[in-house]
Amino acid sequence: MLQVISLLLENKPGALMRVTGLLGARGYNIESLTVARTTDSALSRMTIVVDVDPPLRKQVIKQMNKLVNVLQASDLTESPSVARELVLMRVRSTMEARASVLKEAEIFGARVIDSSMEGFALEATGDSEKLDEFIDVMRSYGEIEVTRSGTVAVTLEPRKLRLSSPVPTGAPKTTNTPTPANGVINA
Amino acid sequence: MSNLMSGSKILLECLAREGVDTMFGYPGGVTLPFYDAMYDHPLRHVLVRHEENAAFAAQGYARSTGRVGVCCATSGPGATNLTTGLVDAMMDSIPIVALTGQVSTKLMGSDAFQEADTFGITRACTKHNFLVKTLADLPQAVHEAFYIASTGRPGPVLVDVPKDVFQAQAHYVPVTTIHLPGYKVHTDGHAGQIRRAAHMMWEAKRPFIYAGGGIIASNASGELKELVEILDAPTVCTLMGLGALPADHPNFISLPGMHGSYAANMGMTEADLLIALGVRFDDRVTGRLAAFAPHAKVIHVDIDAAEIGKNRAADLPIVGDAKRVLSKLNKILAELAPAHAAINADGRKAWWGQVRGWQEEHPLAPEFSTSEIKPQHLMAEIDRISGGKAIVCSDVGQHQMWAAQLIRFNQPRLWINSGGLGSMGFGLPAALGAQFANPGKLVFSIGGDGGFQMSIPELSTIASYGLPIKIIVMNNGYLGMVRQWQELFYNNRLSSVTLDCFPDAEKLAGAYGFPGRTVENPADLASALQTAVNEPGPYLLNVKVSPFENVYPMVPAGGAINEMVLCDAKPVAVAQ
Ligand SMILES: Cc1ncc(C[n+]2csc(CCOP(=O)(O)OP(=O)(O)O)c2C)c(N)n1
Ligand SMILES: [Mg+2]
């Protein structure tokens, strides 16, 4: 089963590379990844769907949490959450089939966002399996072109966000005193 | 207003605020403005002969002091040359900050001369890295880099600075606070867990302490010693942890693992409680994981939550800084002692009997011959001269394992070696860094004839600064460790492991202006080493040892650690 990971991270160059690099180092293939800034423009929310062996999932989350730019990484796979995906699709349709295409779109809750002599541009959201079906059905009417957003998910369980406080700069005064120079002195 | 400062000067100010006194580096085109600013600045820049060695030297400085080591390289090839040293520091959790020059921001991404995507390349080589695109961000990035490198689980951090940022001018306002909201450092262990750990320890019949580099990183040797003594448990220190408990402490066994002692590995295998402190259950320690410490409950203390349960599930995890956790733990153990120490006292006595038995059965004892110098003889002599107090920087190979087995370290930060990455070419430049940080100390560099030849350029640096390093080459004429594996597991088909044409040591050292010598007669070894140590400056001692000696005990790759090969025989080959 795929793992759904939700991350809150700093909206900084390189932050995305660190997250994907961590998965890439283990040879994992990312099924989907979405990222956009949150209401706080300094932060981004990322949803990753990735095929991780179940025994390693905790480890992957811990390693993500170690990344300096990551404020919180959580596994949504087995916790209460909702996940949705958006599909944008252009479907070619003959004049005769137009009515059926529209009917079918309605069944899937898709909206028409553009219409032309050749066919329609449709927009649908839902869970990924439902969207697979929608795409299959539409394909039967004619040539299609599809762009999927990838899964976005939100947890239904509020989790406390623990953040670090500011610290003063400069060399630490107390810790890490070097070993006393009571070793062998050169003759 | 005329207190405008260049980016270069601001960077030097930031380094001074971090207490940096020494930096190891190599200049180039884009760092010209930075080196120009260094010209009349008190910070000491040590010109090494290869950037990889700048990173290794910074590590030698850091490992021997606990302070952050600093290295510097130019863009492109300078930065890429640093990478081995960065990964090495990452694997062994060593705090260093690397400063690299980058092509000007306008040129970035255009395949400009000496451009490399340092930020991208070093993402995987560092704990964190920064690309500073405007001067306004520079002080913040530098202070964050030092903070990240030195706190939590230490590691390397790189700051990439484009040439135009060095050249830009700004009013310097020191940055006094930094804020890294997502950088979580757990230092205090969970009080309840610590109490439970204390109970488990008193209730164990066969407790065994497995201490690692984390003890040294957190300066927790004192606390470790206290724990060892309250509990009176046998203790092993890993390759990264040698010196965490004084080697002459009666409870110290040896290092464990692939080339650990019989007692260390049998102890781990038979223990009912493994007290793992600042360790990561590395495959070189555990052997076949499924067979590792099969009877033991595990208490695992580590500052890095991601280490807990990574390789071996912990029955009782404590995420925290070893020093803090152990000082609390020791208090509770002492409180509980009157009521609990007797519970399994008989069991623990019997346990010691078993451990002492294993030690007597197969001690890690040096071997001697009258016709040739045995590698173990060399290490025993270095041990004698060191008296547990000299800094020993080792390279990677057979000599490293014999040194780890036979040279005793009575303090932390004396044994310096590339543990996790096993980078040949580490030892000599690390000794260079350690000697700069510890000018009064006796510093040995021990290398193989292979690894030493990876570092020969640094002889020039050592000569130039007159560093009194005692450079010992354990010359067996082979890439010995690889030869050993070829002998044992590949039917002795010795493929590309012969090292002929080793340079004449006296002439080589002489070419750099310091003394050197080759010894091959066992009777001459002690006096030759003494001559080297008595020499006020550097000394190169090439010690010809028996070529076909193998390191034992040995746990073949994929084997269980209690299935040790103890001496030359026909071992059963195990698949890699
Ligand atoms: C950079 C690097 N390349 C290759 C290796 C693989 N390797 C490990 S030990 C070893 C042999 C080292 O030979 P030498 O320096 O003569 O030391 P010895 O084992 O003979 O003591 C080699 C090639 C390594 N660890 N590091
Ligand atoms: Mg050799």
Side-chain angles (χ1 to χ4, degrees):
Chain A
M1 204 179 73
L2 296 171
Q3 183 181 19
V4 182
I5 300 169
S6 176
L7 294 113
L8 186 64
L9 68 168
E10 291 178 286
N11 184 7
K12 284 190 175 166
L16 170 68
M17 158 183 93
R18 296 179 207 284
V19 175
T20 56
L22 199 151
L23 295 168
R26 291 173 173 270
Y28 292 148
N29 185 43
I30 295 172
E31 296 293 328
S32 80
L33 185 153
T34 70
V35 58
R37 48 176 244 207
T38 64
T39 46
D40 177 349
S41 63
L43 302 178
S44 306
R45 169 69 67 181
M46 186 185 286
T47 306
I48 307 178
V49 180
V50 58
D51 192 2
V52 175
D53 300 335
L56 291 175
R57 289 183 177 172
K58 258 195 163 150
Q59 176 66 18
V60 166
I61 297 289
K62 281 185 189 174
Q63 289 189 331
M64 287 183 171
N65 271 313
K66 260 171 75 172
L67 297 172
V68 173
N69 296 140
V70 171
L71 272 54
Q72 189 178 52
S74 25
D75 186 354
L76 299 188
T77 321
E78 260 130 51
S79 67
S81 63
V82 285
R84 286 290 179 271
E85 189 175 359
L86 167 74
V87 159
L88 290 179
M89 178 194 294
R90 190 174 48 70
V91 56
R92 270 179 173 280
S93 151
T94 58
M95 278 304 173
E96 301 76 61
R98 284 179 77 94
S100 333
V101 168
L102 289 176
K103 183 92 201 134
E104 212 69 70
E106 201 185 321
I107 292 169
F108 281 95
R111 294 200 307 139
V112 177
I113 47 179
D114 189 57
S115 170
S116 69
M117 300 294 281
E118 281 78 41
F120 304 102
L122 303 173
E123 165 199 320
T125 59
D127 65 43
S128 301
E129 288 85 63
K130 197 95 206 143
L131 295 177
D132 290 343
E133 284 172 38
F134 174 59
I135 292 165
D136 281 346
V137 167
M138 285 303 165
R139 189 178 283 122
S140 67
Y141 288 98
E143 187 195 314
I144 59 173
E145 190 177 320
V146 176
T147 300
R148 300 178 72 143
S149 65
T151 300
V152 290
V154 68
T155 178
L156 298 177
E157 243 178 12
R159 291 187 70 226
K160 254 237 302 288
L161 183 62
R162 264 186 278 147
L163 300 180
S164 299
S165 326
V167 286
T169 62
K173 310 261 165 324
T174 50
T175 56
N176 290 344
T177 38
T179 41
N182 56 352
V184 182
I185 305 294
N186 282 313
Chain B
M1 287 289 282
S2 62
N3 68 335
L4 276 179
M5 277 169 74
S6 69
S8 301
K9 285 218 165 113
I10 291 176
L11 177 52
L12 287 169
E13 278 310 305
C14 295
L15 296 179
R17 277 181 62 89
E18 292 292 344
V20 177
D21 54 13
T22 308
M23 174 161 76
F24 304 90
Y26 210 91
V30 299
T31 53
L32 276 167
F34 185 42
Y35 277 78
D36 184 62
M38 270 181 232
Y39 184 80
D40 42 17
H41 190 278
L43 188 141
R44 171 170 61 182
H45 179 274
V46 176
L47 177 66
V48 293
R49 302 303 190 252
H50 188 291
E51 289 88 350
E52 177 179 303
N53 298 331
F56 286 151
Q59 281 202 49
Y61 183 99
R63 291 179 191 239
S64 65
T65 62
R67 300 203 297 271
V68 178
V70 184
C71 56
C72 178
T74 192
S75 64
T80 55
N81 275 348
L82 281 181
T83 51
T84 304
L86 295 173
V87 179
D88 194 278
M90 187 78 170
M91 291 289 270
D92 287 349
S93 308
I94 305 303
I96 61 170
V97 167
L99 306 169
T100 48
Q102 181 55 272
V103 301
S104 285
T105 47
K106 296 175 298 298
L107 295 174
M108 281 169 60
S110 72
D111 300 331
F113 177 62
Q114 292 196 327
E115 177 178 9
D117 175 11
T118 303
F119 187 56
I121 290 168
T122 61
R123 195 274 311 158
C125 309
T126 53
K127 181 173 171 186
H128 195 68
N129 61 3
F130 295 88
L131 169 59
V132 180
K133 292 185 74 181
T134 71
L135 179 50
D137 294 340
L138 182 65
Q140 194 80 24
V142 173
H143 294 306
E144 289 180 0
F146 276 82
Y147 180 69
I148 293 168
S150 59
T151 53
R153 179 178 182 167
V157 180
L158 180 138
V159 184
D160 198 28
V161 185
K163 187 172 189 178
D164 52 336
V165 174
F166 282 127
Q167 289 167 322
Q169 303 269 326
H171 294 281
Y172 174 52
V173 185
V175 167
T176 53
T177 58
I178 50 170
H179 189 198
L180 297 162
Y183 179 61
K184 309 142 201 101
V185 179
H186 309 276
T187 48
D188 293 306
H190 187 279
Q193 293 288 84
I194 294 176
R195 183 159 287 276
R196 273 187 282 279
H199 281 276
M200 277 172 83
M201 287 180 191
W202 279 129
E203 279 152 23
K205 290 195 182 71
R206 300 188 305 278
F208 201 83
I209 297 176
Y210 160 32
I215 296 289
I216 293 174
S218 89
N219 294 313
S221 293
E223 288 75 7
L224 172 66
K225 183 160 173 279
E226 212 184 325
L227 167 69
V228 168
E229 286 171 0
I230 298 174
L231 206 59
D232 191 22
T235 301
V236 290
C237 294
T238 66
L239 189 65
M240 286 305 299
L242 290 174
L245 184 68
D248 62 10
H249 194 284
N251 289 35
F252 176 70
I253 308 297
S254 72
L255 80 159
M258 182 172 272
H259 294 296
S261 69
Y262 183 72
N265 288 346
M266 290 308 290
M268 301 255 233
T269 305
E270 296 301 325
D272 69 349
L273 178 68
L274 197 60
I275 302 164
L277 309 171
V279 294
R280 56 189 178 86
F281 292 84
D282 179 63
D283 56 81
R284 282 317 193 240
V285 169
T286 64
R288 180 152 38 88
L289 205 49
F292 177 70
H295 313 295
K297 288 216 159 80
V298 171
I299 295 173
H300 192 179
V301 180
D302 204 283
I303 198 158
D304 181 357
E307 279 305 331
I308 308 254
K310 183 181 82 176
N311 293 336
R312 167 74 180 244
D315 298 277
L316 191 119
I318 301 174
V319 179
D321 175 58
K323 192 181 183 78
R324 296 208 195 186
V325 171
L326 291 189
S327 68
K328 284 187 209 151
L329 177 70
N330 290 342
K331 271 202 203 92
I332 299 174
L333 275 175
E335 273 167 30
L336 295 178
H340 294 74
I343 296 177
N344 279 316
D346 288 345
R348 283 198 298 274
K349 210 166 153 212
W351 175 228
W352 263 119
Q354 237 178 320
V355 173
R356 294 294 183 218
W358 289 319
Q359 283 183 300
E360 278 157 34
E361 231 174 298
H362 299 290
L364 275 184
E367 291 176 38
F368 303 97
S369 145
T370 47
S371 57
E372 51 182 9
I373 299 175
K374 291 268 188 183
Q376 299 92 332
H377 179 190
L378 169 62
M379 300 312 163
E381 279 304 320
I382 294 174
D383 173 62
R384 191 181 54 74
I385 289 189
S386 156
K389 289 176 182 166
I391 293 179
V392 176
C393 299
S394 177
D395 214 79
V396 171
Q398 288 185 313
H399 61 280
Q400 174 191 24
M401 293 300 122
W402 280 310
Q405 289 179 340
L406 297 171
I407 302 177
R408 285 166 293 179
F409 299 96
N410 287 333
Q411 289 165 21
R413 304 196 182 283
L414 295 179
W415 167 245
I416 292 173
N417 83 138
S418 167
L421 195 64
S423 319
M424 283 173 71
F426 172 90
L428 189 60
L432 194 157
Q435 187 77 80
F436 266 109
N438 303 268
K441 270 203 164 179
L442 176 58
V443 177
F444 284 101
S445 145
I446 302 180
D449 40 341
F452 168 72
Q453 292 188 78
M454 289 195 176
S455 315
I456 282 182
E458 294 312 322
L459 293 179
S460 169
T461 317
I462 288 166
S464 157
Y465 290 90
L467 300 174
I469 300 170
K470 308 310 161 199
I471 305 160
I472 314 295
V473 179
M474 190 202 87
N475 189 337
N476 52 14
Y478 285 99
L479 295 171
M481 188 55 94
V482 180
R483 187 207 55 75
Q484 174 170 347
W485 283 62
Q486 290 180 345
E487 177 193 326
L488 299 180
F489 309 115
Y490 292 86
N491 290 320
N492 204 27
R493 286 153 56 91
L494 300 189
S495 179
S496 292
V497 289
T498 310
L499 293 170
D500 42 18
C501 297
F502 189 82
D504 178 314
E506 196 176 335
K507 285 188 188 153
L508 179 65
Y512 291 101
F514 61 88
R517 177 183 170 191
T518 296
V519 274
E520 44 189 330
N521 185 342
D524 298 337
L525 179 61
S527 65
L529 269 170
Q530 196 57 54
T531 309
V533 170
N534 290 349
E535 174 68 31
Y539 196 99
L540 173 64
L541 186 64
N542 175 34
V543 184
K544 286 202 166 168
V545 299
S546 23
F548 297 113
E549 197 72 24
N550 290 331
V551 185
Y552 294 115
M554 177 177 192
V555 179
I561 57 165
N562 59 334
E563 297 161 0
M564 283 159 278
V565 181
L566 294 162
C567 58
D568 276 323
K570 273 278 144 265
V572 187
V574 176
Q576 164 73 61

